[in-house]
Amino acid sequence: PSNWRRYTVPKGLTVLQWVADFSDRIKQLQKISHAANTGGAKGLKNLHIWLGGMFVPEAYITATRQFVAQANNWSLEELTLEVTIANGPDDRLTIDDCSFGIKGLRLQGARCLDNKLELTATILTDLPLTSLKWIRVEPGTDHLLDGKVTLPVYLNQTRTELLFTVDMATRGEPAGREHRFYERGVAFLASSLSG
């Protein structure tokens, strides 16, 4: 029923799908609660989060940005998001004081190799651990985005709720490759739910 919806799920989701998803969310909340109780802020910082399993994932992204800004006495406006995707489950990513580990992301319409996106005929790719790192950028350093494409991160496959955008390096066809990513509708998905 619609009055049960306290967080966003795709329309047409079956009760079985909803219960399974809700159970996974509760398990993650239990891990978060345990990490907070035993390790405090440092315990939370080292936890790898399933972004699609957060009840308000945008708030988590905002909180990570605020955490890094406050810890380093930086302005929020000086921070930009740098994304690093592991090559596989055995690839270790460095999660430093400005980074946060995200699991369960999926990439639609492309694949990632050596942290560069490449168009592919594969519809959906499950991504291994992904690092979201807030870095400080000086004014006038827009040239750092050259050769990168800005892609959306949606909550789920319905693409009705945009969480944030990320800038990613690309490989493949040299001329107009950024446009091809947009034409193909390449995007990141935080949850595998679909109605």
Side-chain angles (χ1 to χ4, degrees), residues 46-65:
N46 295 324
L47 197 61
H48 298 162
I49 297 294
W50 168 40
L51 193 60
M54 302 295 285
F55 289 101
V56 186
E58 307 93 317
Y60 176 77
I61 297 300
T62 300
T64 61
R65 186 177 189 183

Side-chain angles (χ1 to χ4, degrees), residues 67-84:
F67 175 85
V68 171
Q70 185 177 19
N72 294 289
N73 290 326
W74 295 337
S75 167
L76 289 172
E77 292 78 22
E78 295 175 312
L79 297 179
T80 189
L81 192 59
E82 179 181 271
V83 177
T84 305

Side-chain angles (χ1 to χ4, degrees), residues 57-148:
E58 307 93 317
Y60 176 77
I61 297 300
T62 300
T64 61
R65 186 177 189 183
Q66 291 171 340
F67 175 85
V68 171
Q70 185 177 19
N72 294 289
N73 290 326
W74 295 337
S75 167
L76 289 172
E77 292 78 22
E78 295 175 312
L79 297 179
T80 189
L81 192 59
E82 179 181 271
V83 177
T84 305
I85 301 169
N87 283 326
D90 298 329
D91 193 11
R92 299 253 181 221
L93 290 181
T94 302
I95 306 291
D96 62 18
D97 290 342
C98 298
S99 304
F100 300 85
I102 301 295
K103 60 184 181 180
L105 281 181
R106 303 174 97 192
L107 182 57
Q108 202 167 36
R111 68 180 182 145
C112 185
L113 187 61
D114 297 327
N115 210 44
K116 292 184 179 179
L117 300 184
E118 181 176 61
L119 294 173
T120 180
T122 305
I123 296 172
L124 213 53
T125 305
D126 290 328
L127 298 176
L129 183 63
T130 301
S131 166
L132 302 182
K133 180 177 183 174
W134 291 103
I135 59 171
R136 186 178 187 194
V137 292
E138 300 295 328
T141 55
D142 295 340
H143 67 279
L144 296 175
L145 296 178
D146 289 348
K148 292 191 174 187

